[in-house]
Each structure stands twice: as C-alpha cells, then as structure tokens.
C-alpha cells in the first residue's frame, strides 16, 4: 500500500459510477435529494468535457417506492419490495431524465438481473446496447431489476452489480460512492487508531479481512460488499475508487491531486481481461470458415464481416461461441456470434449493406465484432 498514483481517474476513458440509496434519497422525506443530483449532473458535464464516457449504476427505486405505497420502515416481504421497486423506478427514472436534460444530457434507463451478466447471449445484448448508447452520447442509468429478481438470484447490492457492469462494458474505472472517504485499517467510527489507506495495488486476504472483521455496517453491509465488488472489477482490468459521496459535486474531489479516497489497481488491462474471458469458453457451438482476405483483416484487429465467410457449420444461436477457421480448416480465432446459424447461412459471402434485404431486418454489420473476438494464435 503506497501513495496514490498520479492522474489516476483523469486518464480513464470509460467510468462506471455507483450511487447508493442513502446518497440519492432523503431518509426523512423519502424523496430524491434533487440538489445533490443536480450537483452530480455538473460533474457529469465536466467528465464529458474531458472526453470521458459515464455509466451510472443507481439504487433508490425501493426507497422511493416505499413512501409512495405507504410501506412501513424496516424489513418487508419480498413481494412488497418488488412492488416498491416497480413504483419507485418510475420516479427515479423521471428524476434522472429531468435533471440531466437541464444540461443537455440524455438519460437512458436499463434494468438488469444476474442472468443478464452471466448468460453469454444476454451479456452480448447488454454490452451492445451500452456501447450504442455511449456512442450516441447518452448516459445509461442502470439498476437491478428488483421487480422480477428473487432473493435466490439477485445481486443483493449495487456494488457488485456495478462491478459486473464495469466488467461487461470494459470500463477503465469504477467509482463506488460511499459514506466513508475510503478504506481504513479498521472501522474508523469504532477505532480511533484506524489508519487511512490511499492505495491498494492488489486485493489480498489481508485487505479482505480489514472489512470482514468489522461488526458494524462498515463491515457487514458496507465495506465488505465494496471490497468484493473491487475484487471483481480489478480482475476484469478496471481500477476501482472508493470515496465519500454525500457532499455536493461528489466526483469533483476525485480528480484533485490531494483528493481523499482509496484507489484499487486493476490487475490487467480491460481488453486483456475480456480476451481471457472469451478464450476461457472451451466449448464452441459451431464453426465458420473464412477467406484469406478475412484472415488478414482479423490479424489487423478488425471485425469479421459476412463477406469474408465461405462456410458455416453447426447449429448455433446469437451470442454463442464459434470457432473461426481458415480455408485449410485451421482455427485462427474464437468469438461470440451476432447471428444464428440459419441467418449466418443466408448472409455468408454477402456485403453488410445487403443484410436487411436478405434477413428482413437491419442486423449488425459484423458477424463477430472485434470486441467479442480473440485470436487463437
């Protein structure tokens, strides 16, 4: 644990920012803290000026829905939580849309579950949608789909959800806004000798024990989940920042050289981590043969277009893992397909602009996008 590396957050091109209910919703009134959200919007404007893409992962739907439906404080039945999420999500989305629009920013709501990040097809769909929204200049606002998620399958906290989103979209940095200004050697509210930790090069068992040994919310409900999320994200090539978010302009301080927060180093580059995730799928659902021109294009880092495909073997669906082979049948790459085997047969050898006429819908230009492809050798 050393001093914080200089210029850490400034160089991140794609940020995921997690916002908890306690920051967004006033505990006494049960309403959105509009002044705080307005100040966050100013931070988002500044991030965009720096050329950074931002994805928000926001809690708050259940907290807002409780008041609307007259639910009591404390624990409630799962179906009541789901009902509160349904009612509160409308208000939450409306607040983001209204406040971001004041700054000419477009909010785009996405609700996901654990299966959306674990299942390859759903993962591909969500990643593609996020990329499209960012390319169009929108700010995705993501929440867990609490309305349909059950206790057995849900993330359970938006820290881990934010880490999975960061992993999915190959983010450079994940910001976990907290009620504390970083990681300490012990719970600072219970131990006055607790020392602040500015920089964590790697999450070791000792780091995990710091939060796990605490009996307060710093451990059980707060820092434990944040360390778990940081472990997921750093393994995916994403740096993680944990810092206090309760004050106005919560992100502004993290760009300052003297900002106070804990920075967790990524253990790989995002692209390297994603390639490792792709190549880790041992089984392939099918095989596509490509011509020499397409082979050369792949070696140059380009996507695989339908025009380069000479043969399609196997039965597969969109999002399945395929082997890509040359005209001699030697595997040169693997990737997640944007088309089923039936559709691939129809568009093989054709130009991308012909896809709509051939299939009856405007599909993707690429058979396998370069972000979803890894060379075998």
């Amino acid at each position: 644990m050393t001093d914080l590396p200089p210029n850490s957050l400034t160089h991140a091109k794609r940020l995921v920012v997690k916002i908890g209910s306690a920051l967004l919703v006033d505990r006494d009134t049960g309403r959105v803290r509009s002044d705080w959200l307005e100040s966050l919007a100013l931070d988002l404007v500044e991030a965009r000026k720096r050329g950074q893409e931002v994805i928000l992962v926001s809690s708050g739907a259940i907290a807002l829905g409780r008041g609307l439906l007259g639910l009591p404080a404390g624990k409630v039945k799962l179906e009541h939580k789901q009902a509160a999420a349904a009612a509160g999500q409308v208000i939450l989305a409306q607040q983001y849309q209204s406040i971001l629009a004041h700054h000419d920013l477009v909010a785009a709501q996405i609700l996901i579950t654990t299966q959306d990040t674990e299942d390859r097809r759903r993962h591909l769909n969500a990643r593609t949608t996020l990329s499209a929204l960012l390319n169009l200049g929108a700010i995705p606002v993501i929440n867990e789909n609490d309305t349909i998620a059950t206790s057995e399958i849900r993330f359970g906290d938006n820290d881990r959800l934010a880490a999975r989103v960061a992993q999915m979209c190959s983010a450079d940095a994940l910001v976990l806004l907290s009620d504390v200004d970083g990681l300490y050697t012990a719970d600072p509210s219970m131990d006055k000798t607790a020392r602040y930790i500015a920089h964590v090069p790697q999450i070791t068992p000792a780091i995990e024990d710091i939060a796990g040994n605490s009996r307060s919310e710093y451990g059980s409900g707060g820092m434990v989940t944040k360390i778990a999320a940081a472990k997921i994200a750093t393994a995916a090539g994403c740096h993680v920042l944990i810092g206090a978010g309760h004050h106005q302009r919560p992100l502004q301080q993290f760009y300052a050289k003297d900002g106070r927060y804990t920075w967790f180093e990524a253990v790989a580059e995002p692209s390297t981590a994603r390639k490792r995730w792709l190549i880790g799928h041992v089984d392939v659902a099918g095989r596509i043969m490509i011509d020499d021109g397409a082979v050369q294009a792949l070696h140059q880092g380009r996507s695989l277009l339908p025009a380069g495909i000479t043969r399609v073997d196997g039965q597969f669906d969109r999002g399945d893992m395929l082997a890509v082979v040359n005209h001699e049948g030697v595997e040169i790459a693997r990737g997640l397909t944007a088309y089923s085997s039936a559709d691939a047969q129809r568009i093989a050898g054709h130009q991308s602009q012909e896809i709509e006429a051939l299939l009856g819908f405007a599909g993707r230009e690429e058979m396998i996008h370069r972000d979803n492809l890894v060379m075998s050798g």
Side-chain angles (χ1 to χ4, degrees), residues 242-301:
I242 297 177
H246 51 78
H247 42 69
Q248 301 289 302
R249 302 293 301 272
L251 300 182
Q252 190 177 46
Q253 60 171 328
F254 303 142
Y255 292 94
K257 291 183 178 179
D258 58 350
R260 190 173 176 86
Y261 50 84
T262 299
W263 181 265
F264 296 79
E265 290 286 342
V267 296
E269 291 294 325
S271 59
T272 302
R274 179 162 175 79
K275 297 297 186 184
R276 191 163 55 239
W277 179 81
L278 288 170
I279 204 68
H281 294 281
V282 178
D283 297 327
V284 295
R287 191 177 78 152
I288 49 179
M289 183 175 291
I290 61 175
D291 60 28
D292 291 339
V295 171
Q296 184 178 4
L298 295 191
H299 281 295
Q300 293 173 347

Side-chain angles (χ1 to χ4, degrees), residues 91-267:
I91 304 300
L92 188 63
Q94 184 182 52
Q95 288 288 323
Y96 274 110
Q97 187 278 330
S98 176
I99 288 177
L100 294 184
H102 290 163
H103 302 278
D104 296 324
L105 299 175
V106 176
Q109 176 183 266
I110 301 177
L111 300 178
I112 65 176
T113 63
T114 49
Q115 293 99 319
D116 297 322
T117 64
E118 300 297 335
D119 181 86
R120 283 205 304 272
R121 295 186 189 94
R122 297 188 187 184
H123 176 104
L124 180 61
N125 285 337
R127 178 182 170 90
T128 302
T129 300
L130 281 170
S131 295
L133 287 170
L134 293 172
N135 289 337
L136 292 169
I139 294 183
V141 181
I142 300 174
N143 195 2
E144 183 169 11
N145 196 345
D146 292 303
T147 304
I148 62 172
T150 67
S151 58
E152 289 79 17
I153 62 174
R154 67 193 306 268
F155 285 102
D157 66 83
N158 273 0
D159 291 322
R160 277 183 279 247
L161 170 60
R164 291 298 187 189
V165 169
Q167 179 187 52
M168 177 190 295
C169 69
S170 300
D172 301 295
L174 166 63
V175 178
L176 299 176
L177 297 178
S178 176
D179 56 354
V180 294
D181 57 6
L183 181 66
Y184 286 76
T185 55
D187 184 348
S189 66
M190 300 178 66
D191 187 347
K192 301 302 181 183
T193 66
R195 291 180 292 104
Y196 160 66
I197 303 171
H199 180 213
V200 179
Q202 185 176 6
I203 299 175
T204 63
I207 292 295
E208 294 178 280
D209 287 344
I210 287 174
N213 289 334
S214 174
R215 296 181 180 179
S216 70
E217 289 187 359
Y218 178 84
S220 61
M223 199 55 68
V224 164
T225 62
K226 286 177 174 54
I227 296 298
K231 194 171 183 179
I232 293 169
T234 54
C238 179
H239 302 294
V240 176
L241 184 156
I242 297 177
H246 51 78
H247 42 69
Q248 301 289 302
R249 302 293 301 272
L251 300 182
Q252 190 177 46
Q253 60 171 328
F254 303 142
Y255 292 94
K257 291 183 178 179
D258 58 350
R260 190 173 176 86
Y261 50 84
T262 299
W263 181 265
F264 296 79
E265 290 286 342
V267 296

